Amino acid sequence: MDMARFMTNWIWTPEWTDTDNMQPGIVYFRKVLSLEEIPEKTDIRITADSRYKLYVNGLFVQKGPQKALDLREWYVDSAVLGPYLKTGENTIAVEVLRYPAYNGSTSHPNANDSLLRTETPHLYIDGGMFSTKTGWKCCVNREIRIVGENERPAPIHAQEEVTATAAFAHWKTAAYDDSAWADALPKLYFDMPMADAPGNLTPRTIPDMEYVYKRFETVSAVREGGQIRDQWNMLIEKDIPLEIPSHSTQVVELSAGAEECGYLLYALKGGGGTEITTLCSECYAYPQPPKPTMTGSMIPSHPKKGDRTDAVHGQLFGHTSVYRTAGYGTDACPEEYEPFAFRTFRYVQLKIETGDAPLTILRFCYRATGYPLLEKTRFTVSDPGFAPVWDISLRTLRRCMHETYMDCPFYEQLQYAMDGRNEILYTYAVSADDRLARQAMEAFRRSQRPDGMVNADAPTIKSNVIPGFSIYYLLMVHDHMMYFGDRELVRRHLPAIDGVLGFFDRSLNDLGMVGRVGGKTMRHKYWSFIDWSDQFEFGTPKASELGCGSVTMESLLYLYGLQHAAELADFAGRPGLAEEYRSRAVSLKEAVVSNCMGVFRGQKLVQDGPGAEEYSVHCQVFAVLTGVVPREEGKAMLQATVGSPEFAQSSVSFMFYLFRALELCGWYEKTDELWNLWRKMVENNLTTCVENDTDERSDCHAWASLMCYELPAVILGVRPAAPGFTRVQIAPQMGRLSYAQGDVITPKGFVHVEWHRDAEGNCNLEYTLPDGILAL
């Protein structure tokens, strides 16, 4: 039998062992082509499991593939090689990072929770002479170890320990001798599951990430090595080489000027045996003593944060990687190192320990990366303090947008539904771009479990269910309906949404409310997270352990979901289903009123659980948003609870919903005080927004980018009033501002708004609309 006709474009290395299957590893692939002229057609399709980086003639082209959403499909990217080719010899080089197939363990020390992977490690290129069917050589680089950090569940991105060797010097170039490398092993069609991943290839659905070369701004501190600040500044500013003597140690800390995501780039000369330890950090912070656990053991405490630039009293905390030089670099052909994964940093500490030979650093910079978000909305307001808050908010959103939205790029890098709903709205408000939003909604739809719940984060290799987060997924679809009016998208998601609501419906208890569907993290099947409030243990209200264990917020979220799902069903042409949802909502609202209305010091409030004398701002907020109480009554409830230490308060993650409730009940001026949380971030020299205002674990968490929505959609007042933005509601909330003006992007074009407050306190409003939008 002629087996050649069964060969595919999927290849792998014959050197791969059973041991390799148990740990992450790096495999190099290369192909040399001699070209008399640049071919007219140079486009290829490329993918790999788990990740690839593509180079042509030593120049970086792109990284991929787009993260898979499940194991039924695998994404394949396109690339055009023409701009990188030349006449004569050309080298196509691909670096592949392979993660072990997930075996169900959540304790794998080198796990990457956001990357799905198949049982079939591979590289795939389809594209004429560039195809992987013939001519490819490969080699496993076992001198690169992918390592994890001690802290779980973060980070999930790869750190590296590398012992460089001259055997791989300049392997991406045509001059490299690959005669000792193995011929790549082609896979046969019999080996590939063509209906599932990785055989079932589907085109990329989002744009390629952008890449911008950048320099570090300045030396923030020198910890060891003498008077070397000026020399380091000359290196990072102008690529003036810096020589580090043999048998010496230098510890220097560099500032990028703002939080960045990027690939660190090292270019070195000589210095064989030097060890470079790189620590990436978000800020300077102050160490704290260890704290005891419930078992009596001691665990590290998060450092205390204040002025993020305090290099005098603070220290850098973060993730480390190690590179041991081979020493083959010259001025003309440096020894170059680039970690496979991007790093997140505002500051980088380099600890350089030389051996018998001096090391010359020729260049140290980075290639910044992220989703190509285009900021289109522009504004001016009377409060000059809004501009810096907008700046750190927009930068946070950018840093949390890659192939998926991310909760935080420094730690988990996971796309969570609560975070994602906010990030998507912020993206619409500043750019009217829905491409990453579509990916997010599809990821959550595909994560649905048999009981109807969707995973709290997706895509992911493990289960993590927070019941309320399934409602935030529903809200994403509703938001998209209002902004873009895509009926087919709504119809695609409606069965999953019905499954989510069916879970809650089946979970109703004898009181007619959502019963105990979760609890504290790691102690129950599902996690009843509501918010990172100081008064909630691990984000869960105390009511989950009281009485019947019913958490009122989960009933209110279900109610909110029913109300929005009814509008989705109407839009999809399912009036019967819409009526069913509305009927359920009426019954549920009555149950909340009957079982959860308490009195605290003479003020009627919604309890955190039926009959539980526990109260939070959160329940009052959603009582307003769902119409459980009239707006005027809701205002009194908020006035009694917001800011009072007697009640669980909203942290950053919940502020979006608190602002919506304040707006609905006519108390929007209260937001001026709440913006102090962001003003404090600016005062503390943050360049991005904190994850929460409790322990401030992460300095970059885009659910806090509230200004990106609040200013265009609420203060300027531009929001859709009908699906597809066919009608617009322009209802500015003045708060304590005296004027505002700006151009707000919508899917239909720009809406220009100007308003000012007159002597009587009224809003004098003028606006212009693009074609295709009618005012409400």
Side-chain angles (χ1 to χ4, degrees), residues 284-560:
Y284 285 96
Y286 313 108
Q288 300 297 298
K291 58 185 178 183
T293 65
M294 291 183 292
T295 62
S297 61
M298 304 298 287
I299 60 173
S301 298
H302 287 301
K304 183 179 180 181
K305 295 182 177 182
D307 179 357
R308 301 313 202 262
T309 65
D310 185 3
V312 175
H313 306 98
Q315 299 178 23
L316 296 181
F317 297 83
H319 313 314
T320 56
S321 58
V322 176
Y323 182 78
R324 300 177 183 93
T325 63
Y328 59 78
T330 65
D331 287 315
C333 295
E335 177 177 348
E336 295 181 320
Y337 170 56
E338 174 187 334
F340 191 92
F342 76 76
R343 303 288 186 245
T344 303
F345 53 87
R346 180 176 177 182
Y347 296 97
V348 169
Q349 181 192 83
L350 296 174
K351 181 179 181 181
I352 302 171
E353 300 170 280
T354 56
D356 293 337
L359 173 74
T360 300
I361 303 178
L362 303 175
R363 184 170 59 257
F364 182 65
C365 57
Y366 60 97
R367 184 170 58 246
T369 187
Y371 183 89
L373 178 70
L374 296 178
E375 176 196 4
K376 297 180 180 179
T377 290
R378 295 288 187 269
F379 70 91
T380 303
V381 296
S382 57
D383 185 346
F386 272 41
V389 174
W390 173 273
D391 289 343
I392 66 171
S393 300
L394 183 62
R395 184 178 294 110
T396 306
L397 181 61
R398 290 184 185 278
R399 299 301 174 263
C400 293
M401 293 176 70
H402 294 267
E403 292 167 63
T404 66
Y405 288 101
M406 290 181 176
D407 59 337
C408 51
F410 190 75
Y411 287 106
E412 295 163 71
Q413 296 187 357
L414 293 170
Q415 180 170 253
Y416 279 93
M418 184 178 184
D419 311 53
R421 194 262 169 141
N422 287 15
E423 291 168 321
I424 287 169
L425 274 174
Y426 304 160
T427 305
Y428 295 165
V430 302
S431 72
D433 182 349
D434 74 330
R435 292 172 293 179
L436 202 59
R438 286 174 174 268
Q439 170 278 134
M441 290 181 282
E442 184 65 10
F444 287 109
R445 186 186 74 85
R446 296 194 192 190
S447 76
Q448 190 159 40
R449 297 165 60 87
D451 64 4
M453 287 285 90
V454 302
N455 220 51
D457 54 297
T460 185
I461 61 174
K462 65 181 183 180
S463 295
N464 175 23
V465 176
I466 301 173
F469 279 32
S470 291
I471 300 299
Y472 295 120
Y473 153 64
L474 181 162
L475 297 175
M476 291 179 193
V477 181
H478 186 275
D479 295 334
H480 192 276
M481 175 189 74
M482 295 303 293
Y483 275 82
F484 295 93
D486 187 334
R487 205 178 308 271
E488 290 307 310
L489 182 143
V490 172
R491 287 172 175 164
R492 180 178 179 85
H493 286 274
L494 201 53
I497 288 169
D498 190 56
V500 166
L501 298 176
F503 168 87
F504 284 104
D505 189 53
R506 293 188 299 275
S507 302
L508 296 179
N509 58 20
D510 293 341
L511 300 176
M513 297 182 59
V514 176
R516 177 176 283 172
V517 294
K520 295 178 181 177
T521 183
M522 296 182 287
R523 303 181 206 175
H524 297 265
K525 179 174 72 170
Y526 295 158
W527 179 18
S528 289
F529 174 88
I530 301 301
D531 180 22
W532 286 119
S533 173
D534 274 334
Q535 292 88 342
F536 293 166
E537 186 179 2
F538 294 107
T540 303
K542 295 177 183 177
S544 69
E545 303 295 324
L546 302 175
C548 65
S550 177
V551 175
T552 305
M553 264 301 299
E554 290 179 324
S555 288
L556 291 171
L557 280 165
Y558 174 38
L559 175 56
Y560 200 54

Side-chain angles (χ1 to χ4, degrees), residues 542-589:
K542 295 177 183 177
S544 69
E545 303 295 324
L546 302 175
C548 65
S550 177
V551 175
T552 305
M553 264 301 299
E554 290 179 324
S555 288
L556 291 171
L557 280 165
Y558 174 38
L559 175 56
Y560 200 54
L562 285 168
Q563 292 166 341
H564 286 75
E567 296 179 7
L568 287 168
D570 278 333
F571 183 67
R574 302 282 299 279
L577 185 60
E579 182 55 35
E580 178 187 336
Y581 291 157
R582 291 191 175 98
S583 177
R584 286 195 218 171
V586 169
S587 299
L588 182 57
K589 185 185 294 186

Side-chain angles (χ1 to χ4, degrees), residues 26 28 95 141-147 159-165 168 274-276 321-326 335-340 343:
I26 296 285
Y28 295 154
E95 185 177 2
N141 187 344
R142 293 192 172 88
E143 301 304 322
I144 300 177
R145 292 182 57 242
I146 306 301
V147 297
Q159 304 295 318
E160 296 180 10
E161 288 185 5
V162 182
T163 300
T165 170
F168 291 115
T274 296
E275 183 169 284
I276 303 175
S321 58
V322 176
Y323 182 78
R324 300 177 183 93
T325 63
E335 177 177 348
E336 295 181 320
Y337 170 56
E338 174 187 334
F340 191 92
R343 303 288 186 245

Side-chain angles (χ1 to χ4, degrees), residues 223-242:
R223 302 301 183 188
E224 189 173 350
Q227 301 300 315
I228 56 174
R229 182 184 295 266
D230 290 344
Q231 295 96 311
W232 273 95
N233 275 321
M234 295 294 284
L235 169 72
I236 61 176
E237 291 173 10
K238 300 179 180 180
D239 292 340
I240 296 178
L242 182 153

